[in-house]
């Protein structure tokens, strides 16, 4: 078994981005600028946005973090996005999801200019991705593709089972793995909460991408020997031995599954790190 080390891979990619920013500045080009918007005080969202802002600093991007109260109106959020759409200094806009229930995620995503849609969630970005045109690819699936590429894993002809069909992970992941690219060129089965024979599906998989949101859901008896395991899940489970009172686990029962797999991502230190890295790549792209 080989660990797919998100910390190591993302550090290498972030170093390249940092060098590119340095050379941009030397050549009197614009410094990339990401505007992040956080609504409410969801602790996980605060952590994710904090990590994104910190990584911007690390690679030399400018960042602006706007925090809106939990009861901020939809109109207030849309107006802020419009302001950033019209601000030539801002290259990328990200609104941390999920949003409070009274705000329409669709409206918010549709309001972000496709030119600044570094999360890749706008219908224009998704449409272009489906057609294989250059665009912003959603960060988590893109980070996974970058990880597979880094380890030179040839996925051509493999059967990839993606568990989960969310707009931000499962659906784009399925599309990317089925495209005529490397990594890619897989035969893809997308499973979800209504799939009846998940275990049988998984047992046929050369690659499993688990994006479910259920701790340790993929167990060793669901995995074919030698399969590649990509664990997207980030779940908090109680742990009295931790100062915070919780620890993070993935959707895969890592300890048991690692024995059967050829490659596996850990949680934390796997896909999460790659997601931030892919966001930085998209922001750099938005600035060009
Ligand atoms: P989501 O809740 O939007 O989607 C979960 C999907 O899992 C759904 O499509 C659902 O059909 C499927 N599902 C639920 N129960 C199932 C079951 N019993 N069998 C088969 N499928 C089932 O979640 P999401 O936004 O796609 O995120 C999934 C997980 O990935 C979460 O733990 C989330 O925290 C994590 N996540 C991690 C990153 C990262 O950077 N590592 C990024 C985004 C999301």
């Amino acid at each position: 078994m080989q660990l797919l080390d998100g910390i190591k891979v993302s550090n290498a990619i972030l170093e390249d981005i940092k060098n590119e920013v340095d050379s941009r500045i030397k050549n009197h080009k614009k410094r990339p600028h990401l505007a992040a918007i956080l609504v409410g005080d969801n602790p996980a969202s605060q952590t994710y946005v904090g990590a994104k802002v910190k990584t911007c600093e690390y690679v030399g991007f400018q960042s602006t973090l706007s925090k809106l109260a939990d009861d901020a109106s939809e109109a207030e959020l849309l107006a802020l996005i419009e302001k950033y759409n019209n601000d030539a200094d801002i290259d990328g806009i990200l609104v941390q999801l999920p949003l409070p229930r009274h705000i329409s995620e669709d409206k918010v995503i549709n309001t972000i200019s496709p030119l600044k849609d570094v999360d890749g969630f706008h219908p224009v970005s998704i449409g272009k991705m489906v057609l294989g045109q250059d665009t912003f690819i959603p960060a988590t699936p893109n980070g996974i593709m970058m990880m597979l590429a880094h380890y030179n894993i040839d996925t051509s002809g493999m059967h990839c089972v993606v568990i989960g069909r969310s707009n931000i992970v499962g659906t784009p992941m399925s599309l990317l793995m089925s495209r005529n690219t490397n990594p890619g060129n897989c035969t893809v089965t997308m499973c979800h909460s209504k799939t009846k024979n998940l275990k049988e599906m998984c047992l046929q998989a050369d690659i499993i991408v688990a994006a479910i949101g259920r701790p340790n859901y993929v167990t060793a008896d669901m995995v074919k020997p030698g399969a590649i395991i990509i664990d997207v899940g980030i779940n908090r489970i109680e742990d009295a031995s931790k100062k915070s009172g919780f620890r993070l686990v993935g959707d895969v029962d890592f300890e048991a599954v690692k024995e059967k797999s050829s490659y596996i991502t850990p949680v934390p230190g796997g896909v999460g790190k790659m997601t931030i890295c892919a966001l930085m790549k998209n922001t750099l792209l938005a600035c060009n």
Side-chain angles (χ1 to χ4, degrees):
M1 179 277 293
Q2 184 174 355
L3 202 67
L4 297 172
D5 186 341
I7 298 177
K8 207 168 103 191
V9 180
S10 70
N11 281 346
I13 296 172
L14 291 177
E15 212 48 46
D16 287 347
I17 298 176
K18 198 171 188 260
N19 290 337
E20 206 169 325
V21 175
D22 286 347
S23 113
R24 286 183 70 91
I25 302 304
K26 275 192 200 116
N27 291 309
H28 310 288
K29 286 190 182 163
K30 186 183 175 304
R31 188 182 289 282
H33 186 172
L34 176 71
I37 305 175
L38 175 64
V39 186
D41 43 21
N42 177 319
S45 293
Q46 282 176 337
T47 308
Y48 297 146
V49 168
K52 289 167 187 175
V53 167
K54 225 167 121 187
T55 311
C56 280
E57 270 168 36
Y58 177 75
V59 296
F61 291 176
Q62 197 181 335
S63 65
T64 300
L65 172 59
S66 305
K67 292 184 179 175
L68 300 189
D70 201 42
D71 60 355
S73 69
E74 186 178 275
E76 194 182 337
L77 175 56
L78 297 182
L80 182 59
I81 295 170
E82 286 295 5
K83 186 180 131 198
Y84 289 152
N85 281 342
N86 295 317
D87 182 340
D89 194 61
I90 297 220
D91 303 296
I93 302 170
L94 101 84
V95 180
Q96 187 64 42
L97 302 179
L99 290 166
R101 279 172 185 276
H102 66 280
I103 298 179
S104 155
E105 267 182 25
D106 281 352
K107 264 196 208 167
V108 167
I109 289 168
N110 290 354
T111 302
I112 296 171
S113 161
L115 297 173
K116 302 189 179 190
D117 176 37
V118 287
D119 258 338
F121 297 157
H122 191 282
V124 169
S125 307
I126 299 285
K128 285 185 169 181
M129 179 187 66
V130 172
L131 297 170
Q133 297 177 11
D134 284 344
T135 188
F136 300 112
I137 307 283
T140 300
N142 202 19
I144 294 169
M145 300 304 270
M146 285 157 64
M147 170 97 91
L148 293 168
H150 182 92
Y151 282 91
N152 283 319
I153 297 174
D154 183 358
T155 60
S156 184
M158 286 187 177
H159 181 202
C160 176
V161 168
V162 177
I163 319 175
R165 58 180 162 188
S166 71
N167 288 344
I168 65 170
V169 190
T171 295
M173 193 68 222
S174 302
L175 277 160
L176 291 174
M177 290 304 270
S178 66
R179 288 201 322 196
N180 184 6
T181 55
N182 192 26
N185 275 320
C186 286
T187 304
V188 175
T189 303
M190 193 207 272
C191 299
H192 45 75
S193 53
K194 299 288 185 286
T195 298
K196 283 194 174 136
N197 48 349
L198 186 65
K199 183 175 168 183
E200 288 92 280
M201 287 295 168
C202 287
L203 278 169
Q204 293 173 37
D206 302 306
I207 308 178
I208 297 177
V209 181
I212 315 163
R214 288 179 171 227
N216 303 322
Y217 195 75
V218 177
T219 46
D221 61 329
M222 297 165 76
V223 174
K224 181 169 90 173
I228 298 165
I229 309 294
I230 308 293
D231 190 353
V232 184
I234 302 179
N235 307 291
R236 287 181 176 206
I237 60 168
E238 280 183 25
D239 186 340
S241 71
K242 300 274 174 197
K243 212 168 123 193
S244 59
F246 69 86
R247 71 190 155 92
L248 298 180
V249 298
D251 289 345
V252 175
D253 180 5
F254 181 83
E255 287 305 324
V257 170
K258 75 173 189 211
E259 306 298 338
K260 286 184 97 175
S261 59
S262 54
Y263 296 92
I264 186 166
T265 61
V267 177
V271 174
K273 289 280 171 200
M274 295 307 299
T275 296
I276 297 188
C277 203
L279 174 73
M280 296 299 126
K281 276 229 155 194
N282 274 352
T283 306
L284 187 59
L285 195 69
C287 186
N288 283 328

